[in-house]
Amino acid sequence: MTREPYGVGIVGAGPVVQAIHLPTLARLSELFVVRNIMDVNPDVAAAVAGRAGASPSSSIDELLADERVEVVAICSPSAFHGPQVIAAMRAGKRAVLCEKPFATDREQAELIAAASRETGVPVIVGAMHTVDPAWLAAIAEWEALGHEAHTIRSRVVLPPNARFETSATEVLTPRPASGLPDLDDPAVRAQMVFGGVLGLAVHDLPLIRRLLPAVDDIEVVSASALSPWGYEIGFTAHGRLVHAIGVLTEQWRPTWELEVVSDEARLLLEFPPSYVHAGSATATITTDARTVRFGPFPHNGYEGEWLALHAIASGGSAVATPVDALIDDLDFVLEVASAASETARQEETR
């Protein structure tokens, strides 16, 4: 017997919710119905909730008290993620989807893990590439064939988020315009690289961690802040080389690629930009003998997050990633971000 769609409560009603999650949930209307949207700005909450036919709230307590809300999406600023995830768990909800990063440090992540074990409520982290169907198909093939990467390259070149947001929907809370950062200031360089890792590279770093044999000897060999906004990082782990570049600029066509090279094969993943609702990535594994292509599949990683949440909330075949594994991913992201930002801080003044 098919159950009624799960009632969704969304904490935070910013551009990502408006341009990504609400359109995604609209495509999954047989599985989910948005019941309540909370934002600290009551006018924004009312306007965004009105679009979705949901009730507005101005506090998380009000949203969690709504008995129609069965699953919760935490889409607030990252500093609030930990307490809000735990509150949703303790409110007896079926499952929680938390935007990346799900915590800002290991201590906070451990508190989430303890609450999840105590309440039995699973949490999914919104790193959409980890559940992109093209990635899942390609990594299964790559590992089955026993390939071991020696070089990994992540390349992300995108217009500023506001351009995508404006194209995706009429965003009610546009970001204020800002001038060019002073990259001669070591603190500005360090913050740009740290923020770039937690805001953009975080989508690919869990994939990179899976491709590395271990990450207990990370050494950042280069890190720079790029104008007008971006980062370039090179690091090694167990003899493997990782190069990551991320730039927001109006000057280039959108590109989001993850390239993995072994002695025998090359894996290339080409992801659509975050705000483009156009299906999954495509993945190609090339060897001397053959080329295998995966995708594009009909749904993207954002739909993958919600489909996984539905399966877990329903007690289906899907199993939530253990919180300890999510903590390991977070540790990896934070270690890269901290080491790279310090290297960028010490870079000679340009």
Side-chain angles (χ1 to χ4, degrees):
M1 179 178 177
T2 304
R3 77 175 311 279
E4 291 295 314
Y6 285 116
V8 177
I10 300 177
V11 179
V16 170
V17 168
Q18 296 175 46
I20 294 177
H21 287 299
L22 289 183
T24 298
L25 288 166
R27 293 195 296 274
L28 299 174
S29 59
E30 293 183 358
L31 304 179
F32 296 102
V33 57
V34 180
R35 295 296 191 189
N36 199 307
I37 295 179
M38 172 263 166
D39 197 271
V40 292
N41 184 326
D43 293 334
V44 171
V48 177
R51 289 181 177 180
S55 299
S57 295
S58 56
S59 75
I60 188 171
D61 290 341
E62 184 181 353
L63 178 142
L64 294 178
D66 188 335
E67 294 182 353
R68 301 170 304 160
V69 171
E70 299 170 277
V71 297
V72 178
I74 305 296
C75 304
S76 55
S78 56
F80 302 103
H81 285 180
Q84 291 176 342
V85 169
I86 292 171
M89 290 174 171
R90 297 202 184 284
K93 303 307 179 182
R94 285 179 171 266
V96 180
L97 169 64
C98 182
E99 272 296 337
K100 49 74 184 171
F102 82 113
T104 54
D105 55 46
R106 186 178 181 93
E107 180 180 2
Q108 191 179 75
E110 293 283 7
L111 292 174
I112 292 172
S116 180
R117 286 191 287 266
E118 177 187 337
T119 62
V121 178
V123 59
I124 290 178
V125 177
M128 74 281 192
H129 289 173
T130 62
V131 288
D132 187 290
W135 156 253
L136 295 174
I139 190 61
E141 177 78 2
W142 181 268
E143 292 176 343
L145 295 174
H147 296 308
E148 294 187 6
H150 58 67
T151 304
I152 303 171
R153 301 183 184 94
S154 169
R155 184 167 73 243
V156 187
V157 183
L158 299 173
N161 282 350
R163 179 170 160 189
F164 281 126
E165 292 161 1
T166 301
S167 299
T169 189
E170 182 182 350
V171 174
L172 299 173
T173 51
R175 292 184 173 93
S178 59
L180 292 176
D182 179 11
L183 297 187
D184 288 333
D185 185 334
V188 171
R189 295 198 301 269
Q191 182 54 44
M192 181 179 289
V193 170
F194 191 90
V197 173
L198 263 66
L200 196 58
V202 65
H203 290 297
D204 286 347
L205 285 173
L207 282 58
I208 291 170
R209 187 174 84 86
R210 181 164 175 177
L211 289 157
L212 296 170
V215 291
D216 58 355
D217 64 343
I218 294 172
E219 180 181 357
V220 172
V221 295
S222 64
S224 300
L226 303 179
S227 182
W229 184 95
Y231 58 85
E232 184 171 12
I233 302 167
F235 67 91
T236 61
H238 273 256
R240 277 62 171 178
L241 174 64
V242 179
H243 180 244
I245 181 170
V247 184
L248 298 186
T249 173
E250 299 282 1
Q251 304 304 313
W252 297 89
R253 67 178 179 85
T255 301
W256 196 320
E257 297 178 342
L258 183 66
E259 182 184 25
V260 187
V261 183
S262 74
D263 290 338
E264 309 86 11
R266 174 179 181 259
L267 165 61
L268 178 65
L269 285 135
E270 298 174 279
F271 294 98
S274 304
Y275 292 89
V276 176
H277 299 273
S280 77
T282 59
T284 307
I285 298 178
T286 305
T287 66
D288 289 340
R290 63 174 186 155
T291 296
V292 182
R293 184 180 176 89
F294 304 92
F297 296 91
H299 75 263
N300 61 19
Y302 285 109
E303 288 179 58
E305 293 171 0
W306 285 100
L307 291 170
L309 192 75
H310 187 274
I312 292 164
S314 303
S317 58
V319 177
T321 301
V323 183
D324 289 342
L326 298 178
I327 293 175
D328 289 341
D329 280 342
L330 178 67
D331 280 344
F332 179 51
V333 170
L334 291 175
E335 183 173 358
V336 171
S338 297
S341 64
E342 186 57 32
T343 300
R345 183 193 302 275
Q346 296 173 9
E347 186 181 31
E348 290 186 11
T349 302
R350 39 192 85 219

